[in-house]
Amino acid sequence: MTARPVPVPDETSAEYWAACAEHVLTLARCSNCGQFSHPPDIICPLCHSPDPAFSFETVDGGGKVRAWVTIHQSFLNGFDTPFMLVDVQLDDQPTVRMIGRLLDGPDAPVSMGAAVTLGFEDIAPGVSIPAFRLGGAA
Amino acid sequence: MSGLKALRNKVAIIGHAQSATIRRPTETLGVTAFRTAREAIADAGMTPQQIDGFIAATMLPSSGAHELEDGISLVSAEWMAAHLGADPHLVAGFQGFGQITGSLNIAINALASGAVDYVLLHRALYNPPGRYNNNPMTHVAGWQQWNAPQGFFGALPGIALAYNEYMQRYGCTRETTARIAVEARKHGSRNPLSYWYGKPLTIEDYLAEPVLVDPMSRLDCDIPVQGVAAFVLTTAERAKDHPHKPVYIAGYANSYGSDRRLHLNWTLDEMEREGQALAARLWEGTGYTARDVQLPQLYDGFSPFIYVWLEALGYLPRGEAHQFVAEGGIDSDKPGAIPVLTGGGALGCGRLHGLPQLLECYRQLAGRAGERQRDVSVALMTYSAPHIGGAVVYTNDPA
């Protein structure tokens, strides 16, 4: 099977992907308003500062499931179907939502508000992608 | 007077034309668009040289890796003006998501300001060869690096997430949503210019279709097609001198996106919040309320949009549109139903990006709907999703 697409780090994302490779989730905090944005932007989406000087800070990455879907037909190469994606509201800052694969499989008993913890998928040498697992922090 | 109220009934549609809607092109898109534009101009009793404004939106809403070329896979206002041999004062295009409603806004403002006298507005939709959304990328840069590596890609998964949240939060089922697809196809099947002409759908057909992105199947998505429609607009004063009954534009409102999220992650929260704000602006600007609109043609490129638009515009309280649909509330064959898909919509006509809604508003208000003619004086169209799309209200009463 063809490989999954891998991210191409740039100046807005290099630190993020470097941390992911170590299985650490970081989020971009605006130096002006102090809030996380995901993904970051060239202008802070929350305080509209043109000089947000985002710094990536380590977060827990756990949260609550807001919605989920099961992909039966992928538009991208490299994904075995079916697989489940969950839309997670992060406990670190509830305005931040992340979408990741649910590592428990396509038939996992997911429900609204279910707690999830962060996991990672190693998809290529030095490339790891955030994902989620059902269950709260141990 | 300023703002939207200043534009009320200042501009009218005076002519239109629509091409056939086909799955695979038998003619280059630019040629179809050109023919359709000339037909619309003739419908208004005019020649191309009398048109001094050309307005269009050109988005090809695909996540596939398709080459784009003007005249081939899209048709810009510039292309149209040049090929018609016009000498325009204004050539413009809308860049946001609300393509047809956004380009209508430009036309309305250009005419109301006196900058131009006659506008040709067109929209040409292309169906690229091969799979519409498939993308063979091996590396992903830019905005999509944040979503594609985990398999969240293209519009459908994002819509399916918002739909799943709607289902879970309010108790909606796929059996109910089947009624949206069936209603759209019922009207599309009656329209010779629709892709689905002669092909109605049953609830059983809908439920038998395998899901692509659970909870959505192919039948919750409009089918990619090639098709064009064009319209001629002018000021209310000039409109009286043309052959067809003018259809006046009472007002419009738009949303321009909001929360910074992953690419194409449109949340139910945003659709509800921004949709409600859009509706408040629309009713204030037009002086109408939802109850005054006899023909609200709602956008249905993805079936759940019908629920969020019904609720955003105030036809139903938040979370209750699905119960209304389940009880036959949008089944236009039933007395008292709200006719939201009588033009066939996107699910019944094909991926024409709001054209079926606009065409139905125009034809019904101009008295040009033939056997399907309804007795209506105020109509509305919506396009796209409530947090990034738009709404336009029309009337055949210039008062």
mmCIF file of all heavy atoms in Angstrom, chain B residues 121-154:
data_model
loop_
_atom_site.group_PDB
_atom_site.id
_atom_site.type_symbol
_atom_site.label_atom_id
_atom_site.label_comp_id
_atom_site.label_asym_id
_atom_site.label_seq_id
_atom_site.Cartn_x
_atom_site.Cartn_y
_atom_site.Cartn_z
ATOM 1 N N LEU B 121 -24.424 37.968 -14.997
ATOM 2 C CA LEU B 121 -23.857 37.160 -13.913
ATOM 3 C C LEU B 121 -23.960 35.698 -14.337
ATOM 4 O O LEU B 121 -25.031 35.252 -14.751
ATOM 5 C CB LEU B 121 -24.645 37.422 -12.634
ATOM 6 C CG LEU B 121 -24.179 36.682 -11.371
ATOM 7 C CD1 LEU B 121 -24.459 37.556 -10.153
ATOM 8 C CD2 LEU B 121 -24.887 35.353 -11.203
ATOM 9 N N HIS B 122 -22.857 34.989 -14.283
ATOM 10 C CA HIS B 122 -22.945 33.570 -14.643
ATOM 11 C C HIS B 122 -22.178 32.716 -13.654
ATOM 12 O O HIS B 122 -21.331 33.194 -12.891
ATOM 13 C CB HIS B 122 -22.424 33.336 -16.071
ATOM 14 C CG HIS B 122 -20.932 33.283 -16.155
ATOM 15 N ND1 HIS B 122 -20.148 34.393 -16.369
ATOM 16 C CD2 HIS B 122 -20.064 32.234 -16.030
ATOM 17 C CE1 HIS B 122 -18.879 34.045 -16.387
ATOM 18 N NE2 HIS B 122 -18.780 32.747 -16.171
ATOM 19 N N ARG B 123 -22.501 31.422 -13.668
ATOM 20 C CA ARG B 123 -21.766 30.444 -12.876
ATOM 21 C C ARG B 123 -21.671 29.190 -13.728
ATOM 22 O O ARG B 123 -22.691 28.703 -14.242
ATOM 23 C CB ARG B 123 -22.503 30.139 -11.570
ATOM 24 C CG ARG B 123 -21.807 29.107 -10.674
ATOM 25 C CD ARG B 123 -20.714 29.751 -9.843
ATOM 26 N NE ARG B 123 -20.182 28.858 -8.824
ATOM 27 C CZ ARG B 123 -19.000 28.218 -8.914
ATOM 28 N NH1 ARG B 123 -18.241 28.359 -9.973
ATOM 29 N NH2 ARG B 123 -18.581 27.448 -7.933
ATOM 30 N N ALA B 124 -20.459 28.708 -13.914
ATOM 31 C CA ALA B 124 -20.214 27.527 -14.744
ATOM 32 C C ALA B 124 -19.531 26.476 -13.886
ATOM 33 O O ALA B 124 -18.471 26.724 -13.322
ATOM 34 C CB ALA B 124 -19.339 27.908 -15.941
ATOM 35 N N LEU B 125 -20.137 25.320 -13.785
ATOM 36 C CA LEU B 125 -19.604 24.231 -12.949
ATOM 37 C C LEU B 125 -19.029 23.136 -13.823
ATOM 38 O O LEU B 125 -19.646 22.738 -14.821
ATOM 39 C CB LEU B 125 -20.710 23.647 -12.067
ATOM 40 C CG LEU B 125 -21.033 24.335 -10.746
ATOM 41 C CD1 LEU B 125 -19.836 24.323 -9.804
ATOM 42 C CD2 LEU B 125 -21.534 25.749 -10.939
ATOM 43 N N TYR B 126 -17.888 22.642 -13.414
ATOM 44 C CA TYR B 126 -17.122 21.672 -14.200
ATOM 45 C C TYR B 126 -17.013 20.369 -13.423
ATOM 46 O O TYR B 126 -16.889 20.386 -12.195
ATOM 47 C CB TYR B 126 -15.732 22.264 -14.426
ATOM 48 C CG TYR B 126 -14.762 21.403 -15.197
ATOM 49 C CD1 TYR B 126 -14.998 21.084 -16.531
ATOM 50 C CD2 TYR B 126 -13.590 20.953 -14.599
ATOM 51 C CE1 TYR B 126 -14.079 20.333 -17.244
ATOM 52 C CE2 TYR B 126 -12.663 20.201 -15.313
ATOM 53 C CZ TYR B 126 -12.921 19.892 -16.638
ATOM 54 O OH TYR B 126 -12.015 19.152 -17.339
ATOM 55 N N ASN B 127 -17.047 19.266 -14.130
ATOM 56 C CA ASN B 127 -16.790 17.972 -13.508
ATOM 57 C C ASN B 127 -15.500 17.405 -14.087
ATOM 58 O O ASN B 127 -15.489 16.927 -15.216
ATOM 59 C CB ASN B 127 -17.955 17.011 -13.751
ATOM 60 C CG ASN B 127 -17.737 15.684 -13.038
ATOM 61 O OD1 ASN B 127 -16.989 15.617 -12.065
ATOM 62 N ND2 ASN B 127 -18.370 14.645 -13.524
ATOM 63 N N PRO B 128 -14.413 17.471 -13.330
ATOM 64 C CA PRO B 128 -13.125 17.052 -13.889
ATOM 65 C C PRO B 128 -13.087 15.554 -14.192
ATOM 66 O O PRO B 128 -13.793 14.775 -13.548
ATOM 67 C CB PRO B 128 -12.119 17.411 -12.789
ATOM 68 C CG PRO B 128 -12.917 17.547 -11.555
ATOM 69 C CD PRO B 128 -14.315 17.915 -11.950
ATOM 70 N N PRO B 129 -12.255 15.153 -15.162
ATOM 71 C CA PRO B 129 -12.123 13.722 -15.444
ATOM 72 C C PRO B 129 -11.542 12.997 -14.236
ATOM 73 O O PRO B 129 -10.814 13.593 -13.445
ATOM 74 C CB PRO B 129 -11.140 13.663 -16.616
ATOM 75 C CG PRO B 129 -10.846 15.061 -17.017
ATOM 76 C CD PRO B 129 -11.388 15.985 -15.986
ATOM 77 N N GLY B 130 -11.836 11.722 -14.111
ATOM 78 C CA GLY B 130 -11.294 10.936 -12.999
ATOM 79 C C GLY B 130 -12.097 11.145 -11.738
ATOM 80 O O GLY B 130 -13.194 11.687 -11.761
ATOM 81 N N ARG B 131 -11.546 10.684 -10.612
ATOM 82 C CA ARG B 131 -12.251 10.796 -9.338
ATOM 83 C C ARG B 131 -12.217 12.241 -8.877
ATOM 84 O O ARG B 131 -11.170 12.885 -8.898
ATOM 85 C CB ARG B 131 -11.589 9.887 -8.289
ATOM 86 C CG ARG B 131 -11.531 8.422 -8.699
ATOM 87 C CD ARG B 131 -12.936 7.828 -8.880
ATOM 88 N NE ARG B 131 -13.661 7.790 -7.618
ATOM 89 C CZ ARG B 131 -13.614 6.759 -6.767
ATOM 90 N NH1 ARG B 131 -12.902 5.698 -7.035
ATOM 91 N NH2 ARG B 131 -14.300 6.808 -5.663
ATOM 92 N N TYR B 132 -13.376 12.728 -8.430
ATOM 93 C CA TYR B 132 -13.549 14.154 -8.145
ATOM 94 C C TYR B 132 -12.633 14.646 -7.027
ATOM 95 O O TYR B 132 -11.975 15.670 -7.145
ATOM 96 C CB TYR B 132 -15.012 14.392 -7.767
ATOM 97 C CG TYR B 132 -15.423 15.839 -7.736
ATOM 98 C CD1 TYR B 132 -15.798 16.497 -8.903
ATOM 99 C CD2 TYR B 132 -15.452 16.551 -6.538
ATOM 100 C CE1 TYR B 132 -16.191 17.826 -8.885
ATOM 101 C CE2 TYR B 132 -15.845 17.875 -6.517
ATOM 102 C CZ TYR B 132 -16.209 18.505 -7.692
ATOM 103 O OH TYR B 132 -16.602 19.818 -7.660
ATOM 104 N N ASN B 133 -12.610 13.919 -5.919
ATOM 105 C CA ASN B 133 -11.897 14.406 -4.738
ATOM 106 C C ASN B 133 -10.607 13.664 -4.435
ATOM 107 O O ASN B 133 -9.866 14.062 -3.541
ATOM 108 C CB ASN B 133 -12.799 14.316 -3.502
ATOM 109 C CG ASN B 133 -13.773 15.484 -3.412
ATOM 110 O OD1 ASN B 133 -13.385 16.624 -3.629
ATOM 111 N ND2 ASN B 133 -15.019 15.199 -3.134
ATOM 112 N N ASN B 134 -10.327 12.575 -5.139
ATOM 113 C CA ASN B 134 -9.126 11.809 -4.791
ATOM 114 C C ASN B 134 -7.864 12.635 -5.030
ATOM 115 O O ASN B 134 -7.756 13.355 -6.006
ATOM 116 C CB ASN B 134 -9.043 10.541 -5.631
ATOM 117 C CG ASN B 134 -9.938 9.462 -5.068
ATOM 118 O OD1 ASN B 134 -10.882 9.763 -4.351
ATOM 119 N ND2 ASN B 134 -9.633 8.228 -5.386
ATOM 120 N N ASN B 135 -6.921 12.496 -4.124
ATOM 121 C CA ASN B 135 -5.688 13.261 -4.233
ATOM 122 C C ASN B 135 -4.525 12.342 -3.907
ATOM 123 O O ASN B 135 -4.446 11.813 -2.797
ATOM 124 C CB ASN B 135 -5.734 14.449 -3.270
ATOM 125 C CG ASN B 135 -4.677 15.470 -3.594
ATOM 126 O OD1 ASN B 135 -3.517 15.113 -3.811
ATOM 127 N ND2 ASN B 135 -5.055 16.722 -3.635
ATOM 128 N N PRO B 136 -3.611 12.129 -4.865
ATOM 129 C CA PRO B 136 -2.522 11.170 -4.658
ATOM 130 C C PRO B 136 -1.325 11.760 -3.918
ATOM 131 O O PRO B 136 -0.229 11.211 -4.003
ATOM 132 C CB PRO B 136 -2.153 10.799 -6.103
ATOM 133 C CG PRO B 136 -2.428 12.050 -6.878
ATOM 134 C CD PRO B 136 -3.590 12.732 -6.207
ATOM 135 N N MET B 137 -1.510 12.849 -3.211
ATOM 136 C CA MET B 137 -0.371 13.510 -2.560
ATOM 137 C C MET B 137 0.402 12.543 -1.646
ATOM 138 O O MET B 137 -0.184 11.696 -0.973
ATOM 139 C CB MET B 137 -0.844 14.718 -1.750
ATOM 140 C CG MET B 137 -1.797 14.374 -0.622
ATOM 141 S SD MET B 137 -2.027 15.695 0.600
ATOM 142 C CE MET B 137 -3.054 16.866 -0.236
ATOM 143 N N THR B 138 1.712 12.683 -1.652
ATOM 144 C CA THR B 138 2.557 11.911 -0.728
ATOM 145 C C THR B 138 3.112 12.812 0.368
ATOM 146 O O THR B 138 3.515 12.338 1.426
ATOM 147 C CB THR B 138 3.735 11.257 -1.465
ATOM 148 O OG1 THR B 138 4.481 12.287 -2.123
ATOM 149 C CG2 THR B 138 3.226 10.256 -2.506
ATOM 150 N N HIS B 139 3.183 14.113 0.069
ATOM 151 C CA HIS B 139 3.639 15.110 1.039
ATOM 152 C C HIS B 139 2.605 16.223 1.076
ATOM 153 O O HIS B 139 1.992 16.524 0.058
ATOM 154 C CB HIS B 139 5.005 15.673 0.639
ATOM 155 C CG HIS B 139 6.107 14.671 0.782
ATOM 156 N ND1 HIS B 139 6.271 13.631 -0.116
ATOM 157 C CD2 HIS B 139 7.071 14.523 1.717
ATOM 158 C CE1 HIS B 139 7.288 12.883 0.268
ATOM 159 N NE2 HIS B 139 7.798 13.396 1.385
ATOM 160 N N VAL B 140 2.418 16.830 2.233
ATOM 161 C CA VAL B 140 1.398 17.873 2.331
ATOM 162 C C VAL B 140 1.982 19.091 3.053
ATOM 163 O O VAL B 140 2.435 18.997 4.189
ATOM 164 C CB VAL B 140 0.091 17.339 2.988
ATOM 165 C CG1 VAL B 140 0.355 16.694 4.330
ATOM 166 C CG2 VAL B 140 -0.958 18.417 3.094
ATOM 167 N N ALA B 141 1.963 20.223 2.335
ATOM 168 C CA ALA B 141 2.494 21.476 2.871
ATOM 169 C C ALA B 141 1.350 22.449 3.107
ATOM 170 O O ALA B 141 0.230 22.227 2.652
ATOM 171 C CB ALA B 141 3.498 22.069 1.884
ATOM 172 N N GLY B 142 1.639 23.543 3.810
ATOM 173 C CA GLY B 142 0.644 24.593 3.998
ATOM 174 C C GLY B 142 -0.435 24.197 4.998
ATOM 175 O O GLY B 142 -0.238 23.341 5.853
ATOM 176 N N TRP B 143 -1.603 24.830 4.830
ATOM 177 C CA TRP B 143 -2.691 24.682 5.792
ATOM 178 C C TRP B 143 -3.056 23.210 6.007
ATOM 179 O O TRP B 143 -3.332 22.762 7.127
ATOM 180 C CB TRP B 143 -3.895 25.483 5.288
ATOM 181 C CG TRP B 143 -4.982 25.707 6.299
ATOM 182 C CD1 TRP B 143 -4.931 25.431 7.653
ATOM 183 C CD2 TRP B 143 -6.274 26.261 6.064
ATOM 184 N NE1 TRP B 143 -6.110 25.779 8.253
ATOM 185 C CE2 TRP B 143 -6.954 26.297 7.306
ATOM 186 C CE3 TRP B 143 -6.925 26.743 4.925
ATOM 187 C CZ2 TRP B 143 -8.250 26.795 7.421
ATOM 188 C CZ3 TRP B 143 -8.211 27.234 5.058
ATOM 189 C CH2 TRP B 143 -8.866 27.259 6.291
ATOM 190 N N GLN B 144 -3.062 22.417 4.915
ATOM 191 C CA GLN B 144 -3.553 21.035 5.021
ATOM 192 C C GLN B 144 -2.574 20.084 5.719
ATOM 193 O O GLN B 144 -2.914 18.929 5.964
ATOM 194 C CB GLN B 144 -3.916 20.511 3.633
ATOM 195 C CG GLN B 144 -5.018 21.327 2.986
ATOM 196 C CD GLN B 144 -6.214 20.486 2.621
ATOM 197 O OE1 GLN B 144 -6.751 19.762 3.443
ATOM 198 N NE2 GLN B 144 -6.628 20.571 1.380
ATOM 199 N N GLN B 145 -1.352 20.554 6.030
ATOM 200 C CA GLN B 145 -0.437 19.686 6.791
ATOM 201 C C GLN B 145 -1.000 19.378 8.179
ATOM 202 O O GLN B 145 -0.590 18.403 8.811
ATOM 203 C CB GLN B 145 0.940 20.343 6.949
ATOM 204 C CG GLN B 145 0.943 21.555 7.882
ATOM 205 C CD GLN B 145 2.318 22.182 8.002
ATOM 206 O OE1 GLN B 145 3.210 21.615 8.621
ATOM 207 N NE2 GLN B 145 2.480 23.336 7.369
ATOM 208 N N TRP B 146 -1.941 20.216 8.627
ATOM 209 C CA TRP B 146 -2.500 20.017 9.966
ATOM 210 C C TRP B 146 -3.635 18.994 9.989
ATOM 211 O O TRP B 146 -4.094 18.608 11.050
ATOM 212 C CB TRP B 146 -3.013 21.359 10.525
ATOM 213 C CG TRP B 146 -1.970 22.423 10.551
ATOM 214 C CD1 TRP B 146 -1.744 23.385 9.603
ATOM 215 C CD2 TRP B 146 -0.975 22.634 11.559
ATOM 216 N NE1 TRP B 146 -0.680 24.174 9.972
ATOM 217 C CE2 TRP B 146 -0.197 23.749 11.169
ATOM 218 C CE3 TRP B 146 -0.674 21.994 12.771
ATOM 219 C CZ2 TRP B 146 0.862 24.237 11.928
ATOM 220 C CZ3 TRP B 146 0.376 22.484 13.530
ATOM 221 C CH2 TRP B 146 1.132 23.586 13.109
ATOM 222 N N ASN B 147 -4.170 18.597 8.823
ATOM 223 C CA ASN B 147 -5.311 17.671 8.822
ATOM 224 C C ASN B 147 -5.128 16.431 7.942
ATOM 225 O O ASN B 147 -5.595 15.352 8.297
ATOM 226 C CB ASN B 147 -6.600 18.396 8.404
ATOM 227 C CG ASN B 147 -6.502 19.083 7.052
ATOM 228 O OD1 ASN B 147 -6.005 20.209 6.970
ATOM 229 N ND2 ASN B 147 -6.924 18.430 6.003
ATOM 230 N N ALA B 148 -4.447 16.582 6.800
ATOM 231 C CA ALA B 148 -4.368 15.439 5.877
ATOM 232 C C ALA B 148 -3.583 14.250 6.452
ATOM 233 O O ALA B 148 -3.954 13.103 6.184
ATOM 234 C CB ALA B 148 -3.776 15.883 4.535
ATOM 235 N N PRO B 149 -2.511 14.476 7.233
ATOM 236 C CA PRO B 149 -1.752 13.308 7.708
ATOM 237 C C PRO B 149 -2.575 12.343 8.565
ATOM 238 O O PRO B 149 -2.248 11.156 8.642
ATOM 239 C CB PRO B 149 -0.614 13.944 8.526
ATOM 240 C CG PRO B 149 -0.418 15.283 7.909
ATOM 241 C CD PRO B 149 -1.818 15.741 7.560
ATOM 242 N N GLN B 150 -3.651 12.821 9.200
ATOM 243 C CA GLN B 150 -4.484 11.892 9.982
ATOM 244 C C GLN B 150 -5.699 11.415 9.179
ATOM 245 O O GLN B 150 -6.589 10.777 9.735
ATOM 246 C CB GLN B 150 -4.898 12.493 11.328
ATOM 247 C CG GLN B 150 -5.702 13.773 11.306
ATOM 248 C CD GLN B 150 -4.825 15.011 11.371
ATOM 249 O OE1 GLN B 150 -3.814 15.127 10.698
ATOM 250 N NE2 GLN B 150 -5.218 15.967 12.199
ATOM 251 N N GLY B 151 -5.779 11.771 7.889
ATOM 252 C CA GLY B 151 -6.865 11.246 7.063
ATOM 253 C C GLY B 151 -8.126 12.090 7.097
ATOM 254 O O GLY B 151 -9.178 11.645 6.647
ATOM 255 N N PHE B 152 -8.039 13.299 7.605
ATOM 256 C CA PHE B 152 -9.179 14.227 7.591
ATOM 257 C C PHE B 152 -8.994 15.126 6.385
ATOM 258 O O PHE B 152 -8.175 16.052 6.401
ATOM 259 C CB PHE B 152 -9.227 15.039 8.891
ATOM 260 C CG PHE B 152 -10.375 16.016 8.944
ATOM 261 C CD1 PHE B 152 -11.678 15.568 9.092
ATOM 262 C CD2 PHE B 152 -10.161 17.378 8.846
ATOM 263 C CE1 PHE B 152 -12.741 16.464 9.129
ATOM 264 C CE2 PHE B 152 -11.219 18.280 8.888
ATOM 265 C CZ PHE B 152 -12.511 17.821 9.028
ATOM 266 N N PHE B 153 -9.742 14.855 5.324
ATOM 267 C CA PHE B 153 -9.425 15.487 4.046
ATOM 268 C C PHE B 153 -10.673 15.577 3.184
ATOM 269 O O PHE B 153 -11.454 14.635 3.088
ATOM 270 C CB PHE B 153 -8.357 14.651 3.324
ATOM 271 C CG PHE B 153 -7.879 15.265 2.053
ATOM 272 C CD1 PHE B 153 -6.987 16.328 2.074
ATOM 273 C CD2 PHE B 153 -8.340 14.802 0.833
ATOM 274 C CE1 PHE B 153 -6.556 16.906 0.893
ATOM 275 C CE2 PHE B 153 -7.911 15.379 -0.355
ATOM 276 C CZ PHE B 153 -7.010 16.433 -0.320
ATOM 277 N N GLY B 154 -10.834 16.724 2.492
ATOM 278 C CA GLY B 154 -12.010 16.926 1.646
ATOM 279 C C GLY B 154 -13.189 17.387 2.485
ATOM 280 O O GLY B 154 -13.149 17.333 3.720
#
